[in-house]
Amino acid sequence: TSPLVNEYLVVLMFGFFGWKITLFYVLFGNLIGIFTGFILGQMGLEKYIDDAYKPKKSCCCSSVRNVCEEQVIKNYETHRDRLIFGIDEAKGIIHKLWKWILLGVAIGAVIHNYVPREFLMSVINKTGFFSVPLATLIGVPMYGSCAAIVPIAVVLFQKGLPLGTILAFMMATSALSLPEAIILKQAMKLKLILIFFGITTIGIILTGYIFNLLM
C-alpha cells in the first residue's frame, strides 16, 4: 500500500487532524491496497509485465518441476550465494531503470515547483458534489512530498473544504503520479499501468465520498 499509506504522512496527519481521522486514513488506505491487489491478481495481467522482469522458467514440463526446484534451492543454499545472486539481480534492474528514474524525478520536481496549486484548489472548492473525483484526477498527474501536501490540506480544511475531498487529493498525489508512471513503464506495458491507476483512482474516490458522508 506504500505510498498510499505513508508512515511520514501518518505522523503528520496525527499531529494536524488527530488519531481518529488518521486511523480512518490508514484503514481505508490499506483496504484500497488489499482490494486493488486482489482485483489485479484475479485479472490475469501477468502478460503485461515486461519479459525481463518475469520469473525465469527453468522447467518446461510438470513432471520434472520438483527436480528443477530442488536444483534451484541447491544452487543458492548458502547465504553467500544468495547475497551474490541478489546483488547481481539488483545491478541488472538498476542498469535498466536508472535513466528513467532520473527522468521521473526531474519531471516530478518541475511539477512540484510550478503547478499553481492555489488556483487548482479554488476550482475544486467550487465543484460541490464532484469535488472528490476532480480532486483525485488533479492529484494523479501531480507530484508532491508528504511534508508539502499535509500543510496544504490543513489550510483547505480550515477554509471549509470537505475532509473526504482533501484526503482524496492527498492520497492521489502521494500514491499516483506521472513520475511513477514513467518509471513503471519500463517494467510494465501501458495497459497494465492504466488499469492499475484506474482501479486505484476509483478506490480513492470512493474513500473520499465515504469520508464526506461520515465526517
Side-chain angles (χ1 to χ4, degrees):
T1 58
S2 177
L4 189 63
V5 177
N6 181 283
E7 66 280 2
Y8 187 39
L9 198 55
V10 169
V11 173
L12 290 175
M13 286 189 65
F14 180 79
F16 283 111
F17 294 107
W19 69 270
K20 290 184 179 180
I21 293 177
T22 305
L23 181 62
F24 273 108
Y25 157 72
V26 174
L27 175 63
F28 279 97
N30 277 282
L31 287 175
I32 292 174
I34 291 169
F35 283 106
T36 298
F38 177 77
I39 293 171
L40 291 172
Q42 296 298 310
M43 293 176 68
L45 301 172
E46 291 81 4
K47 58 186 177 182
Y48 298 116
I49 298 288
D50 189 277
D51 291 337
Y53 299 97
K54 290 181 180 178
K56 298 177 177 62
K57 296 181 180 180
S58 56
C59 302
C60 59
C61 171
S62 58
S63 62
V64 296
R65 185 173 299 151
N66 292 335
V67 176
C68 291
E69 289 177 351
E70 290 177 4
Q71 186 63 41
V72 170
I73 293 173
K74 289 180 180 179
N75 289 340
Y76 302 106
E77 60 185 3
T78 68
H79 291 297
R80 183 175 182 276
D81 292 336
R82 295 172 186 171
L83 180 62
I84 293 174
F85 172 77
I87 292 174
D88 290 340
E89 287 289 299
K91 286 180 179 178
I93 293 173
I94 292 172
H95 177 72
K96 294 173 183 175
L97 291 182
W98 72 269
K99 295 178 182 178
W100 302 103
I101 292 174
L102 290 180
L103 177 61
V105 171
I107 292 175
V110 172
I111 295 174
H112 177 72
N113 286 300
Y114 294 105
V115 168
R117 295 190 181 188
E118 291 77 10
F119 171 75
L120 293 176
M121 291 303 99
S122 66
V123 172
I124 291 175
N125 204 18
K126 299 175 181 178
T127 52
F129 178 80
F130 298 101
S131 64
V132 173
L134 180 60
T136 305
L137 293 177
I138 289 176
V140 169
M142 293 183 67
Y143 174 82
S145 66
C146 296
I149 295 171
V150 174
I152 294 174
V154 172
V155 172
L156 295 172
F157 183 66
Q158 291 173 345
K159 291 183 177 181
L161 201 65
L163 181 60
T165 303
I166 296 170
L167 285 178
F169 173 73
M170 290 172 58
M171 295 172 83
T173 304
S174 60
L176 303 171
S177 66
L178 180 59
E180 179 185 0
I182 292 174
I183 296 172
L184 289 177
K185 182 63 176 67
Q186 306 314 303
M188 304 177 182
K189 295 181 180 179
L190 181 60
K191 186 171 183 178
L192 178 54
I193 296 175
L194 293 176
I195 292 173
F196 164 61
F197 270 50
I199 294 176
T200 306
T201 298
I202 292 172
I204 292 173
I205 291 173
L206 291 176
T207 299
Y209 278 124
I210 291 172
F211 265 86
N212 282 347
L213 289 174
L214 296 177
M215 301 297 177

